[in-house]
Amino acid sequence: EKCLSEEKTSEFRYQISGNFCVLVVHLFGEMNTQSMPQIARCMDEISAQEHVKFVVFNFSNVTQISGDAVQAFAQMQKQIRAKATLRV
């Protein structure tokens, strides 16, 4: 498994890893209003991967999810699914 990207902040971070057609996005910390920029960057990185067919999100290390973060994540899923070959 190759680590493609890792974004860190004091409260929230993500790590994207994967091989060929599957990306695994590991999420850590609190997903809230302050993490919106990182969530947007995560989406940009996922969208930039042309060979990917599946995206798996690992929430096991998320300690809190606010309503704003749920909306942002739902939007991310919608954008991923809008790409003909990408599935969440």
Side-chain angles (χ1 to χ4, degrees), residues 26-45:
H26 304 275
L27 304 171
F28 304 88
E30 297 180 8
M31 293 178 68
N32 53 33
T33 304
Q34 291 78 22
S35 62
M36 295 300 146
Q38 292 86 0
I39 293 171
R41 274 196 296 276
C42 181
M43 179 60 216
D44 291 344
E45 289 184 44

Side-chain angles (χ1 to χ4, degrees), residues 72-85:
F73 186 75
Q75 184 63 33
M76 180 189 301
Q77 286 182 306
K78 184 178 178 182
Q79 290 174 348
I80 290 169
R81 288 183 176 126
K83 290 182 89 172
T85 59

Side-chain angles (χ1 to χ4, degrees), residues 40-72:
R41 274 196 296 276
C42 181
M43 179 60 216
D44 291 344
E45 289 184 44
I46 292 167
S47 295
Q49 302 296 320
E50 294 182 19
H51 61 280
V52 174
K53 295 186 190 242
F54 300 98
V55 180
V56 177
F57 289 93
N58 176 0
F59 284 88
S60 64
N61 292 304
V62 172
T63 57
Q64 174 195 12
I65 302 176
S66 72
D68 292 340
V70 170
Q71 290 178 355

Side-chain angles (χ1 to χ4, degrees), residues 6-20:
E6 185 172 5
E7 175 71 24
K8 294 182 181 181
T9 68
S10 60
E11 295 293 324
F12 174 80
R13 69 182 175 100
Y14 66 90
Q15 178 180 355
I16 300 175
S17 59
N19 57 25
F20 192 60

